[in-house]
Amino acid sequence: MINKQLVQQCDVLVGVFWTRLGTATGVAESGSAEEIEEFRKAGKPVLLYFSSAPVVPESIDLDQYHALIEYKKKLQSEGLVFSYNSVGEFRQILQGHLSTTIGMLLEQSGRNSNTINAAAQSKQAQATKMFKAQIEAFLRRFEADWSAERDIDPLGIDEGKYILRNAQSQVLDFKAQIEEDKGSELSSILQNALKQLKELDRHKLRLDGGISYQEFWKRGNEVLELLKRIPIELQKVVPKDDIS
């Protein structure tokens, strides 16, 4: 009953796997596999992704993992499988695939080109709104962590570097999401921030009366202020009323 309702009410199925396939149902290798087959039989689009991210070996159920590998091999021959190594890469791949799939569905539904363009613009606005929310949440965490560490004793920069490395990883993910940014400086801001974050990761303290120590935190503050420009630049990509 659930499978039939899913097929009737949903347009696209997105399946994401890591180390487990699920419990066999007697009809298919697992409940997820059964739902996927129902979608395929109905001729509806199925997007399947398999994570290659590292995992703690002791957490793996070997039977489940082998079942997943066999299932993946079966689907690979039909071109239904995509792999990714990180959340950022998955986000980028999925956004592209969903955009293409939604466009295909709209065309199949017989809607005119004006409706398709309006839907595409609406999707862009929604994606930008989500991106803006991610950026703002990241900036709040980054500023809170950075400010707290900057103002405590004993003096040192190891914890500061740890915070900056985490920020660098997140900035890389943000940069991977941008396909084009005509009329804004998003890409250049992110690229500049990445450059400065990498330089700060190589920063060394010297016996100079605290000058190199102060320089580290000063430059970190500058990177934070640079990244705070991103929400402003996003207003240039999509009208303010659409993403505020």
Side-chain angles (χ1 to χ4, degrees):
M1 184 182 298
I2 292 175
N3 287 343
K4 289 181 180 178
Q5 289 175 348
L6 283 172
V7 173
Q8 291 170 358
Q9 298 176 8
C10 300
D11 297 306
V12 184
L13 184 148
V14 177
V16 188
F17 298 93
W18 191 7
T19 64
R20 297 180 58 85
L21 179 60
T23 304
T25 65
V27 177
E29 295 91 329
S30 72
S32 296
E34 187 173 334
E35 292 165 3
I36 289 167
E37 288 307 308
E38 290 288 337
F39 252 74
R40 294 178 62 195
K41 289 177 184 177
K44 294 191 174 184
V46 174
L47 306 174
L48 299 180
Y49 304 89
F50 291 79
S51 172
S52 299
V55 61
V56 178
E58 291 81 1
S59 68
I60 297 178
D61 181 320
L62 292 179
D63 290 337
Q64 278 287 316
Y65 186 66
H66 289 315
L68 179 65
I69 294 301
E70 291 302 314
Y71 182 62
K72 181 179 179 181
K73 287 179 180 178
K74 183 177 77 171
L75 295 175
Q76 277 177 327
S77 63
E78 302 177 40
L80 295 172
V81 173
F82 305 96
S83 298
Y84 65 93
N85 295 310
S86 68
V87 173
E89 184 181 5
F90 172 59
R91 183 186 296 118
Q92 182 181 20
I93 295 172
L94 180 60
Q95 284 180 337
H97 289 168
L98 281 179
S99 179
T100 301
T101 302
I102 290 170
M104 178 189 69
L105 290 172
L106 288 172
E107 290 178 353
Q108 290 176 349
S109 70
R111 299 180 183 180
N112 59 43
S113 59
N114 289 334
T115 302
I116 293 174
N117 289 335
Q121 291 173 1
S122 176
K123 180 179 179 297
Q124 180 189 3
Q126 184 63 28
T128 305
K129 183 177 180 180
M130 293 173 61
F131 185 69
K132 181 170 178 281
Q134 292 172 9
I135 288 282
E136 290 173 340
F138 156 69
L139 287 173
R140 287 193 295 270
R141 290 194 305 272
F142 181 21
E143 184 169 22
D145 288 344
W146 181 254
S147 299
E149 184 60 34
R150 181 186 57 202
D151 299 329
I152 65 173
D153 291 325
L155 301 182
I157 63 173
D158 289 344
E159 288 300 320
K161 284 189 174 185
Y162 176 77
I163 293 169
L164 293 179
R165 290 189 195 108
N166 287 337
Q168 182 179 331
S169 176
Q170 187 66 69
V171 170
L172 276 170
D173 281 348
F174 289 144
K175 194 171 187 303
Q177 294 183 57
I178 300 175
E179 295 181 3
E180 60 176 324
D181 57 348
K182 295 178 180 178
S184 81
E185 299 181 19
L186 283 175
S187 292
S188 61
I189 289 174
L190 290 170
Q191 186 61 41
N192 190 8
L194 280 173
K195 178 176 180 292
Q196 294 186 46
L197 287 167
K198 289 180 180 180
E199 290 174 352
L200 281 169
D201 194 36
R202 295 192 291 268
H203 189 86
K204 302 291 185 183
L205 293 183
R206 300 182 294 275
L207 295 175
D208 53 10
I211 295 175
S212 56
Y213 174 81
Q214 295 295 333
E215 180 187 4
F216 173 80
W217 296 103
K218 177 177 177 294
R219 292 187 61 191
N221 292 340
E222 291 171 354
V223 174
L224 178 60
E225 292 304 315
L226 176 63
L227 291 171
K228 285 182 178 180
R229 290 173 51 193
I230 296 176
I232 299 173
E233 290 298 318
L234 282 170
Q235 304 287 356
K236 300 177 182 179
V237 180
V238 177
K240 183 176 181 181
D241 291 343
D242 289 338
I243 67 172
S244 58

